[in-house]
Amino acid sequence: MKLFLKGIFNDCFKHEDSNLLYNQLSAMKKKIKRIAVLTSGGDSPGMNAAIRAVVRTGIYYGLEVYGIMRGYQGLLEEDLFKMESRSVANIIQRGGTILKSARCKEFYTPEGRKKGYEVLKKNEIDGLVVIGGDGSFKGALNLSKEYDIPCIGLAGTIDKDIAGTDFTIGFDTAVNTAIDAIDKIRDTADAHDRLFIIEVMGRDAGYIALHSGIATGAENILIPERKTDAEAIITSLQEKERRKKLVNIIVVAEGDEYGGIELYRLIKERLPNLDTRLCTLGHIQRGGSPTGLDRLIASRMGYHAVECLLEGRYNVFVGILNNRMNYVPLEQVAKRKGRIAEEWMKVVETLSA
Ligand code: ATP
């Protein structure tokens, strides 16, 4: 019967899609009794709140919940343990992830995923919740396409670079950490009449730079989504120098074509009289206690991830769009790129005049 069904799907759809549909259909009939959760890729504040929500919701519905250590790497090494309600006590306010996170080269290969599936099968895991970024979702998608294991993604990334959700777990905390740091830097910049270039995280997306820059009244915000006009920045700094406006903050996303260091070099070379400093905020943006918003969205998303598994809504990631849950098929996961509204940039330009 299984082969017959698969044959029909293969006739009707191209190979990859037929596998996905077949897995979804057979999994729909599956009774979910035991689920596992892992955190993968770069860590983000709020991952613990999401783990807690998955564990507690699973237990509420009578499921057994397993925690997998160190993402897909721990899965391949069968590093997993049964979690209880008390395993997630007192973690909602903690940054990092109690399950630890890792990147795993082997999981990119079909052989690696086969190994992962065999571990899941051996431990009778019926569904997997993956908390991570778009890379982790791709891993989950490949696994669910190849094997009969429903996967649910929760967007845990400080970069907010995933389309289909207004929030990702950790973004709000990272922005607030950056705001706190930039405010402090502005105090010292003001005392010494300095220009500060502050580099914030965001390899592919400029959301942290944009949000923290607007919220701290930065004079310029440089993001990868927009071409950086270095000449215009130099001209405007020269003009400000003439007006004796010497305190300036430029917030640069690390993925901007110049980045902090290049921009610093250029300004030093072209405007040697300006007292210019560079500060790279770095990993402080990943750590720290999650904000109320991050705890809230992580709790909602974690709860709905388990509901998805129980309702047979498989192989999706759980987002929040216009304050409603939004379930995006893992197939359609896309990096949110180049979509920063012109309106936002207009606000920056108008307010920093
Ligand atoms: P961040 O946004 O913080 O970078 P991420 O989840 O995008 O998080 P990645 O390093 O891209 O981080 O992916 C995490 C892990 O997911 C990888 O180390 C790998 O094990 C798995 N993974 C990523 N892409 C794939 C893929 N195409 N196929 C299989 N596994 C993948």
Side-chain angles (χ1 to χ4, degrees):
M1 181 63 179
K2 272 188 165 186
L3 279 175
F4 172 72
L5 266 178
K6 199 156 191 163
I8 292 178
F9 281 122
N10 279 340
D11 286 345
C12 298
F13 303 99
K14 71 178 198 291
H15 181 69
E16 277 187 1
D17 291 345
S18 72
N19 267 345
L20 184 70
L21 272 172
Y22 171 75
N23 285 343
Q24 281 184 341
L25 197 81
S26 47
M28 267 160 73
K29 294 188 206 134
K30 195 166 167 166
K31 175 119 179 63
I32 304 278
K33 290 189 223 127
R34 188 179 286 181
I35 63 172
V37 55
L38 60 80
T39 47
S40 164
D43 66 310
S44 64
M47 279 183 161
N48 278 327
I51 296 167
R52 173 180 177 271
V54 170
V55 172
R56 295 246 163 119
T57 309
I59 290 170
Y60 174 82
Y61 283 115
L63 308 180
E64 286 187 301
V65 186
Y66 277 68
I68 299 173
M69 297 300 293
R70 294 173 294 112
Y72 295 123
Q73 189 62 42
L75 172 65
L76 302 199
E77 293 169 15
E78 205 178 348
D79 191 359
L80 71 173
F81 67 102
K82 186 162 181 243
M83 298 185 83
E84 308 294 346
S85 192
R86 67 176 177 278
S87 323
V88 290
N90 201 20
I91 65 166
I92 195 168
Q93 78 282 16
R94 283 168 54 192
T97 155
I98 57 163
L99 294 178
K100 300 198 179 280
S101 190
R103 305 196 197 257
C104 173
K105 273 197 185 153
E106 211 181 336
F107 207 72
Y108 284 97
T109 66
E111 297 75 28
R113 293 191 293 273
K114 183 167 188 285
K115 216 188 215 183
Y117 172 66
E118 276 160 8
V119 170
L120 292 171
K121 200 170 145 203
K122 182 177 159 202
N123 288 277
E124 297 175 11
I125 306 290
D126 306 311
L128 179 65
V129 178
V130 172
I131 306 169
D134 67 310
S136 303
F137 290 177
K138 281 181 201 143
L141 173 67
N142 287 337
L143 182 73
S144 64
K145 270 183 173 179
E146 291 159 357
Y147 302 100
D148 178 13
I149 177 83
C151 295
I152 307 293
L154 296 188
T157 166
I158 61 167
D159 292 338
K160 198 165 87 91
D161 57 351
I162 296 178
T165 183
D166 291 335
F167 307 102
T168 58
I169 299 164
F171 171 72
D172 188 59
T173 308
V175 168
N176 277 287
T177 302
I179 289 172
D180 189 42
I182 298 168
D183 282 348
K184 287 176 176 147
I185 290 169
R186 193 182 272 284
D187 287 347
T188 167
D190 190 54
H192 290 272
D193 284 339
R194 278 182 182 143
L195 160 65
F196 260 94
I197 297 164
I198 302 166
E199 187 184 278
V200 298
M201 279 187 165
R203 266 192 323 248
D204 302 312
Y207 290 100
I208 296 179
L210 191 63
H211 286 230
S212 62
I214 291 177
T216 53
E219 277 69 21
N220 283 93
I221 301 173
L222 276 49
I223 53 176
E225 289 86 347
R226 278 173 63 112
K227 192 153 176 45
T228 294
D229 187 345
E231 276 313 312
I233 294 171
I234 300 284
T235 311
S236 111
L237 287 171
Q238 282 168 331
E239 196 269 324
K240 282 173 181 158
E241 211 178 352
R242 271 194 298 277
R243 283 196 276 134
K244 299 269 180 272
K245 184 188 183 312
L246 301 172
V247 183
N248 286 291
I249 300 284
I250 303 181
V251 176
V252 188
E254 63 178 320
D256 171 72
E257 58 183 296
Y258 281 82
I261 293 180
E262 275 309 304
L263 187 69
Y264 173 77
R265 282 198 190 121
L266 183 77
I267 292 176
K268 277 299 238 189
E269 189 189 307
R270 300 281 301 277
L271 304 168
N273 292 333
L274 275 190
D275 190 356
T276 306
R277 301 294 159 103
L278 169 66
C279 178
T280 302
L281 295 190
H283 282 78
I284 61 162
Q285 293 158 94
R286 281 197 184 281
S289 180
T291 58
L293 180 63
D294 274 330
R295 297 179 200 193
L296 189 74
I297 61 161
S299 301
R300 279 178 85 189
M301 288 176 177
Y303 168 85
H304 285 281
V306 177
E307 290 241 307
C308 280
L309 284 172
L310 293 172
E311 288 166 359
R313 190 184 273 128
Y314 297 144
N315 309 325
V316 293
F317 90 82
V318 180
I320 299 178
L321 209 52
N322 301 325
N323 205 23
R324 286 171 175 263
M325 303 319 291
N326 187 36
Y327 305 102
V328 182
L330 290 176
E331 284 271 274
Q332 289 169 21
V333 166
K335 274 227 176 235
R336 185 204 297 264
K337 228 189 149 188
R339 303 265 310 273
I340 286 179
E342 282 306 304
E343 176 243 330
W344 284 71
M345 296 315 294
K346 196 92 187 101
V347 170
V348 176
E349 280 151 27
T350 310
L351 301 187
S352 65

